[in-house]
Amino acid sequence: MTPLLRVEHLVTEFRTEDRIVRAVDDVSFVIPRGKTVGIVGESGSGKSVTALSIMRLIPTPPGRIVSGAVLFRDGDGTEQDLLSLSEEQMRYYRGNRIGMIFQEPMTSLNPVFRCGDQVAEALRIHVGMDTEQARQRTLELFEEVQLPRPEVMLNQYPHQLSGGQKQRVMIAMAMACNPDLLIADEPTTALDVTVQATILDLIKRLQQTHGMSVLFITHDLGVVAEIADEVVVMYRGRIVEQGSVLDVFARPQHPYTKGLLACRPRLDVRLRVLPTVHDFMEEQPDGTIAERISGDVEMIIRERAETDADRSERRRRIEQSDVLLEVEDLAVHFPIRTGLFSRVSGWVKAVDGVSFSVRRGETLGLVGESGCGKTTTGRAVLRLIEPTAGRVVFDGHSVLSLSKSELTSLRRHMQIIFQDPYSSLNPRLTVGSAMMEVLKVHGRFSSDSERREYIEELLVKVGLEPHHYHNYPHEFSGGQRQRICIARALALEPKLLICDESVSALDVSVQAQVLNLLVRLRDELGLTYIFISHDLSVVKFLSDRIAVMHAGKIVEIGDADELYRHPREEYTRKLISAIPTPTVETIRHRYQAA
């Protein structure tokens, strides 16, 4: 098959204050014409830097492309090394022949320009269209990427669009000049599973319609199984395995690939502990990788599956425990203000009559798409948002009738872990200082030395080191920062922990580690969880019961396994069907249907 692009022995480095980091180390692969190649790996594996190197978008300094070749096949059959072009020559390929969709559309779109103008600008620069031609072509592109009310969307600013709509604008911009190659860098990572499914379908449809090649970058092998023909697995800047998607999924050779395949929560079986990459491999002092577990991934899954007896025993214990939290007819309405005097012209019913209870030691999953009201429900329970109506009873206390001082005292027993660990940690405070502040406010321990000793014990409990006490948030990875947030939430020994999308921003391998940590802490400390997520597979792994939310209401609630096997509501079935299913059977079925 004719290659559209060949990457040969690519090396890209970044210079830091004390050393040189080789982010891409001797990487070679081929993108065939009309096919999709998926690059998969954890954060820091070098997959995004590889894409930026192809596009010549590496910031210099501190980065530089040291060596290698990126050979792009032109229409006449000749190959052009993109790394040897001048910046002016590269502009012809960038945006015109190669389009790119970036991971975070809000930071990629200019907030002060209308969405239509930003797409039209690419058409004027690369194609030479006049204003009216560019506007008409932008309208056609918005229709092609299935944006609702495309005429209205032309005049909307990025902040007025949802995450999925902003990503569709980015796809329209990347497709504006009918590129031969589309590079999609984590285009669905921050999206709901249902929105992710529609974006993946859109990219597949556009590829078939235009006959273009796609380089799809992700940390999730489940997504690769849905869209890619070939897969390249990267670890620490190197390619450790590559081949057809069917071969890699059916017969993974490298322990890192086996770990990535195994660590995503399964819907067909309930596991006691999720496998992680570290279960399959360990890095030797000389940098080589040794395999820890040999054998079939499915065999390991079977070994870790929870038995019916284990499940029945847990159900029995929960049913015998008392109710810790009871929520009745909870409502949170936000006013819509219009006109010169900001008069209230209507109400947004973010939460509309929600009722549920949680027993001591139980985990209740709240699942639904963005905007369904699940996060608002969690915050209203803690009175971080004041409810409009309803009743919340926690451990015998009516939360909504408490004074501020009484609520502060009660909040020691009700804590929350937020979605983005970096924005919920003060960048100016060390980990120790941030946790010390919490203990001082609530009057725990009589001296700073006792508090410090306790904090160091907590850091060890969540899988960190005592010396991390002195580090700042920016010195940690995303998974480590989330562990710090968990330690801070545990510092006051709460009875209830609300986890608000606490693993959705993490790589699937790191996500598995954090989920295992939450399970272990729940069992060791007798914690009660409300676990909020848009991903039903993650919720099912951790939860005893699941409540499905849609448009501010709970549309279905029940036992986690039963709800997955026999969903009553069409909306629940939609959430389940949107979850990627990375199995050999589904990949074979996709090939046969193509």
Side-chain angles (χ1 to χ4, degrees):
M1 191 170 292
T2 307
L4 174 68
L5 183 133
R6 288 190 295 130
V7 177
E8 294 185 346
H9 305 293
L10 182 65
V11 177
T12 303
E13 293 179 345
F14 289 87
R15 182 179 292 277
T16 65
E17 290 182 358
D18 56 350
R19 65 192 181 105
I20 293 175
V21 177
R22 183 161 285 192
V24 177
D25 190 3
D26 195 27
V27 163
S28 300
F29 63 91
V30 170
I31 303 176
R33 192 176 295 276
K35 297 293 183 180
T36 297
V37 174
I39 299 184
V40 68
E42 298 169 287
S43 294
S45 63
K47 55 190 188 298
S48 291
V49 178
T50 300
L52 293 173
S53 299
I54 291 171
M55 293 289 280
R56 295 260 306 273
L57 292 174
I58 296 294
T60 53
R64 71 184 184 106
I65 299 171
V66 178
S67 61
V70 178
L71 303 170
F72 187 88
R73 190 175 295 276
D74 283 322
D76 59 2
T78 60
E79 286 187 325
Q80 180 67 58
D81 185 1
L82 301 183
L83 302 186
S84 66
L85 299 179
S86 67
E87 183 58 32
E88 186 177 349
Q89 290 172 317
M90 189 61 202
R91 286 196 200 103
Y92 164 74
Y93 289 91
R94 201 186 288 138
N96 193 21
R97 303 293 304 281
I98 307 173
M100 188 162 185
I101 308 166
F102 294 95
Q103 179 172 354
E104 179 46 66
M106 194 61 202
T107 57
S108 306
L109 294 170
N110 193 320
V112 301
F113 288 105
R114 291 181 174 88
C115 294
D117 293 338
Q118 297 188 55
V119 179
E121 181 183 31
L123 292 165
R124 290 196 301 270
I125 290 172
H126 290 287
V127 186
M129 292 184 177
D130 61 33
T131 302
E132 182 53 37
Q133 288 174 325
R135 185 186 182 282
Q136 188 57 41
R137 174 60 180 149
T138 301
L139 186 61
E140 292 172 4
L141 285 164
F142 279 13
E143 290 172 349
E144 190 172 18
V145 299
Q146 299 174 341
L147 275 167
R149 300 169 297 131
E151 300 88 352
V152 175
M153 290 293 176
L154 285 175
N155 299 311
Q156 297 284 86
Y157 289 93
H159 73 271
Q160 296 176 291
L161 275 60
S162 70
Q165 289 170 342
K166 285 195 283 278
Q167 200 59 284
R168 287 172 188 269
V169 172
M170 282 297 301
I171 294 172
M173 190 182 300
M175 294 295 300
C177 303
N178 291 319
D180 298 302
L181 172 64
L182 179 66
I183 299 176
D185 185 9
E186 299 266 17
T188 61
T189 296
L191 304 178
D192 294 343
V193 285
T194 49
V195 180
Q196 172 180 277
T198 60
I199 294 295
L200 293 177
D201 287 340
L202 173 61
I203 291 174
K204 283 189 281 189
R205 184 173 57 78
L206 291 171
Q207 180 192 29
Q208 292 165 0
T209 303
H210 296 274
M212 64 182 179
S213 302
V214 176
L215 180 63
F216 196 97
I217 297 166
T218 180
H219 63 259
D220 191 346
L221 271 167
V223 173
V224 168
E226 295 277 316
I227 196 169
D229 301 295
E230 306 282 327
V231 61
V232 174
V233 182
M234 291 189 69
Y235 177 73
R236 298 278 178 92
R238 288 181 169 270
I239 292 175
V240 296
E241 187 165 355
Q242 60 180 310
S244 74
V245 170
L246 191 57
D247 286 343
V248 170
F249 274 74
R251 293 172 294 277
Q253 301 300 309
H254 198 275
Y256 181 66
T257 310
K258 294 176 183 178
L260 288 179
L261 282 168
C263 63
R264 185 178 175 85
R266 300 277 291 259
L267 281 167
D268 57 340
V269 61
R270 180 179 282 272
L271 301 177
R272 299 187 305 276
V273 179
L274 288 173
T276 67
V277 168
H278 298 298
D279 290 327
F280 290 82
M281 56 172 272
E282 62 180 338
E283 197 163 354
Q284 304 294 329
D286 62 356
T288 59
I289 294 170
E291 189 166 10
R292 277 183 169 169
I293 299 176
S294 59
D296 184 19
V297 172
E298 292 300 319
M299 179 187 72
I300 295 159
I301 295 294
R302 288 193 296 272
E303 287 174 354
R304 299 194 178 192
E306 191 175 69
T307 65
D308 291 339
D310 293 336
R311 189 77 186 131
S312 298
E313 175 59 23
R314 177 162 175 80
R315 284 199 192 101
R316 186 189 63 77
R317 287 200 310 269
I318 290 170
E319 287 168 2
Q320 290 178 348
S321 62
D322 59 319
V323 173
L324 179 66
L325 176 72
E326 191 168 359
V327 178
E328 291 182 5
D329 296 321
L330 185 68
V332 181
H333 299 169
F334 297 106
I336 302 171
R337 299 185 183 275
T338 56
L340 182 62
F341 299 102
S342 297
R343 299 184 191 279
V344 177
S345 59
W347 296 86
V348 174
K349 296 181 178 180
V351 179
D352 190 17
V354 164
S355 300
F356 61 86
S357 62
V358 188
R359 292 184 177 274
R360 204 177 296 272
E362 183 183 21
T363 298
L364 175 72
L366 272 182
V367 67
E369 298 171 290
S370 293
C372 71
K374 57 189 187 296
T375 291
T376 306
T377 298
R379 297 189 180 199
V381 166
L382 299 176
R383 274 182 64 187
L384 296 175
I385 295 173
E386 287 294 338
T388 306
R391 181 169 168 264
V392 178
V393 178
F394 173 75
D395 205 16
H397 301 274
S398 177
V399 175
L400 305 189
S401 62
L402 296 177
S403 65
K404 279 194 173 182
S405 61
E406 291 172 327
L407 184 60
T408 300
S409 178
L410 188 66
R411 277 204 183 125
R412 172 182 167 179
H413 305 291
M414 309 161 68
Q415 291 290 302
I416 186 168
I417 305 168
F418 295 100
Q419 177 174 357
D420 182 1
Y422 195 70
S423 62
S424 59
L425 292 169
N426 190 329
R428 293 188 176 92
L429 294 181
T430 63
V431 169
S433 299
M435 296 177 69
M436 183 77 74
E437 185 179 48
V438 173
L439 296 175
K440 284 183 176 180
V441 166
H442 288 273
R444 295 212 65 198
F445 303 104
S446 57
S447 68
D448 284 354
S449 61
E450 288 180 327
R451 295 185 187 105
R452 175 170 174 168
E453 185 179 344
Y454 177 68
I455 291 167
E456 289 177 348
E457 289 174 3
L458 277 175
L459 291 175
V460 172
K461 191 180 287 289
V462 299
L464 297 171
E465 299 293 334
H467 65 80
H468 287 144
Y469 182 97
H470 300 286
N471 292 103
Y472 288 89
H474 74 271
E475 298 178 86
F476 295 93
S477 68
Q480 287 174 323
R481 284 197 287 265
Q482 199 60 285
R483 289 172 185 267
I484 293 164
C485 291
I486 293 170
R488 185 178 61 178
L490 293 176
L492 300 175
E493 298 182 343
K495 299 174 183 176
L496 173 69
L497 202 54
I498 297 179
C499 305
D500 184 12
E501 298 275 15
S502 54
V503 297
S504 62
L506 304 177
D507 293 343
V508 287
S509 52
V510 179
Q511 174 182 280
Q513 295 171 28
V514 174
L515 288 172
N516 287 340
L517 172 64
L518 290 172
V519 169
R520 179 170 62 79
L521 293 172
R522 180 188 66 186
D523 295 341
E524 285 180 4
L525 306 176
L527 294 171
T528 303
Y529 291 151
I530 295 178
F531 192 85
I532 299 169
S533 178
H534 62 262
D535 189 339
L536 204 144
S537 63
V538 171
V539 171
K540 180 177 177 290
F541 165 73
L542 197 67
S543 302
D544 300 295
R545 287 186 304 137
I546 295 176
V548 182
M549 286 195 69
H550 180 56
K553 296 178 181 292
I554 291 179
V555 297
E556 187 167 357
I557 188 168
D559 176 80
D561 297 308
E562 185 63 25
L563 185 138
Y564 168 69
R565 283 194 296 263
H566 305 292
R568 298 193 310 271
E569 298 294 323
E570 179 60 34
Y571 180 71
T572 309
R573 288 192 284 272
K574 175 186 170 186
L575 289 177
I576 294 171
S577 65
I579 300 168
T581 50
T583 63
V584 175
E585 289 73 22
T586 56
I587 295 169
R588 283 203 181 102
H589 179 74
R590 177 165 67 85
Y591 278 169
Q592 291 166 0

